[in-house]
Amino acid sequence: MAAGNLHLPVVDLASTNLRASAESIRKACVESGFFYVSNHGIDDGLLERVFAESKKFFELPLEEKMALQRNSGHRGYTPPYAEKLDASSKFEGDLKESFYIGATGNGNLQNDANQWPSEEQFPAWKDTMKLYLATALVTCKRILSLISLSLDLDAEFFQNIGAFNCPSDVLRLLHYPGEVNECDNGNYGASAHSDYGMLTLLATDGTPGLQICREKDRHPQLWEDVPHIDGALIVNIGDLLERWTNCVFRSTLHRVVAVGKERYSAAFFLDPNPDLVVQCLESCCCEAYPPRFAPIRSGDYLKERLSATYK
């Protein structure tokens, strides 16, 4: 079942009323796990360059893209059908293709697991993507400060517990096909899933297709469209933040449906230091509402989820 457009709050990151912004985020995280941010600090020109470089790469012949196929560090190109986000799907895999880019180990190229297109063919690719990674990280830290305040914690809570000490921040460029083969009727660009980590910052080209399901246990499920808002980015929380908050905040099912038109997006995932133990916050549990999840290392949880996603 599909409903109409969903009305999510737009949080102005330039607002000086931090308490009001935090309250707006808390309401969104409790009700849907999704919201928008405006005045986010990512320049329109940079976003345009990211999408231009992304489109140029995905237009390459498949054999050229496969030369940069995703490695053991989950960096590089992932072709269509190689990823299955919904294990119950009857299809081989999802329709989308993607490209993973991660932080470069504090600038140390020896620790860089990324696969970069040739500078001769893509002279602006590396600088563009590295700038976007750095800028999106700053934006996500601002959002997490507001999330901390919304949980009645110090604004620097996640910084203080070491979440940002060598965090796992990844940019994922995504391309969804326009025309779909008859054998793929009913398949999804991205099948139903929740994000695995802490926080996701999503930029799109304006093409529709993103839907969320706020009540995953409802049958039949009700899916709502998340419309594009010019100048705003979409934010959603992931499973690790849900675990931290003992399900007070919701990591919500979402998917991308085929709309008969090509769609490009850029998802920035901010996950904490892999060695950080994620466990229920004291403010989110009590004797009557005990922790629902056992403590777990962030890196172990993410590894487990990723291994289930790929064939």
Side-chain angles (χ1 to χ4, degrees), residues 156-168 198 244 271-277:
E156 303 305 316
F157 171 78
F158 290 108
Q159 176 77 43
N160 293 338
I161 64 172
F164 304 143
N165 296 341
C166 298
S168 302
M198 193 176 188
W244 251 313
D271 303 327
N273 183 313
D275 290 326
L276 185 67
V277 175

Side-chain angles (χ1 to χ4, degrees), residues 136-190:
L137 177 60
V138 172
T139 299
C140 282
K141 286 181 176 181
R142 291 168 64 192
I143 295 168
L144 282 166
S145 289
L146 292 171
I147 287 177
S148 296
L149 292 174
S150 79
L151 292 164
D152 295 323
L153 300 168
D154 184 86
E156 303 305 316
F157 171 78
F158 290 108
Q159 176 77 43
N160 293 338
I161 64 172
F164 304 143
N165 296 341
C166 298
S168 302
D169 44 326
V170 174
L171 172 62
R172 189 176 190 191
L173 307 174
L174 292 146
H175 172 233
Y176 301 88
E179 296 182 4
V180 177
N181 296 326
E182 185 175 344
C183 63
D184 275 318
N185 284 339
N187 198 1
Y188 294 96

Side-chain angles (χ1 to χ4, degrees), residues 4 16 57 74 225:
T16 57
F57 176 82
H74 293 285
D225 296 316

Side-chain angles (χ1 to χ4, degrees), residues 58 65 77-80 95-99 173-176:
F58 287 122
K65 291 182 286 190
Y77 175 68
T78 302
L95 297 172
K96 67 184 179 304
E97 56 181 342
S98 62
F99 197 98
L173 307 174
L174 292 146
H175 172 233
Y176 301 88

Side-chain angles (χ1 to χ4, degrees), residues 67-278:
L68 297 173
Q69 188 173 9
R70 178 178 49 86
N71 58 26
S72 60
H74 293 285
R75 301 291 184 266
Y77 175 68
T78 302
Y81 308 110
E83 182 180 75
K84 190 172 181 175
L85 291 170
D86 181 359
S88 68
S89 171
K90 67 179 182 180
F91 294 94
E92 175 187 359
D94 298 344
L95 297 172
K96 67 184 179 304
E97 56 181 342
S98 62
F99 197 98
Y100 284 94
I101 308 164
T104 56
N106 295 323
N108 185 347
L109 295 179
Q110 291 183 339
N111 295 329
D112 185 7
N114 288 303
Q115 302 193 75
W116 302 104
S118 71
E119 291 189 18
E120 182 178 357
Q121 196 172 8
F122 293 87
W125 174 281
K126 183 183 290 189
D127 287 344
T128 298
M129 301 309 170
K130 288 175 67 175
L131 178 58
Y132 190 81
L133 276 161
T135 309
L137 177 60
V138 172
T139 299
C140 282
K141 286 181 176 181
R142 291 168 64 192
I143 295 168
L144 282 166
S145 289
L146 292 171
I147 287 177
S148 296
L149 292 174
S150 79
L151 292 164
D152 295 323
L153 300 168
D154 184 86
E156 303 305 316
F157 171 78
F158 290 108
Q159 176 77 43
N160 293 338
I161 64 172
F164 304 143
N165 296 341
C166 298
S168 302
D169 44 326
V170 174
L171 172 62
R172 189 176 190 191
L173 307 174
L174 292 146
H175 172 233
Y176 301 88
E179 296 182 4
V180 177
N181 296 326
E182 185 175 344
C183 63
D184 275 318
N185 284 339
N187 198 1
Y188 294 96
S191 53
H193 65 287
S194 59
D195 287 349
Y196 308 154
M198 193 176 188
L199 195 70
T200 304
L201 185 68
L202 179 69
T204 79
D205 64 356
T207 303
L210 177 62
Q211 296 180 331
I212 71 171
C213 175
R214 289 186 283 176
E215 299 178 52
K216 60 185 177 184
D217 296 325
R218 170 178 171 163
H219 297 285
Q221 291 176 329
L222 179 66
W223 290 89
E224 299 170 283
D225 296 316
V226 179
H228 173 79
I229 297 179
D230 287 341
L233 299 177
I234 300 167
V235 179
N236 66 278
I237 66 170
D239 297 340
L240 287 181
L241 196 55
E242 181 180 74
R243 295 174 75 98
W244 251 313
T245 64
N246 208 25
C247 294
V248 173
F249 285 2
R250 300 168 61 183
S251 178
T252 305
L253 282 180
H254 52 286
R255 68 187 185 187
V256 176
V257 298
V259 295
K261 180 182 178 182
E262 282 187 296
R263 182 179 189 270
Y264 291 88
S265 64
F268 177 84
F269 301 97
L270 177 57
D271 303 327
N273 183 313
D275 290 326
L276 185 67
V277 175
V278 176

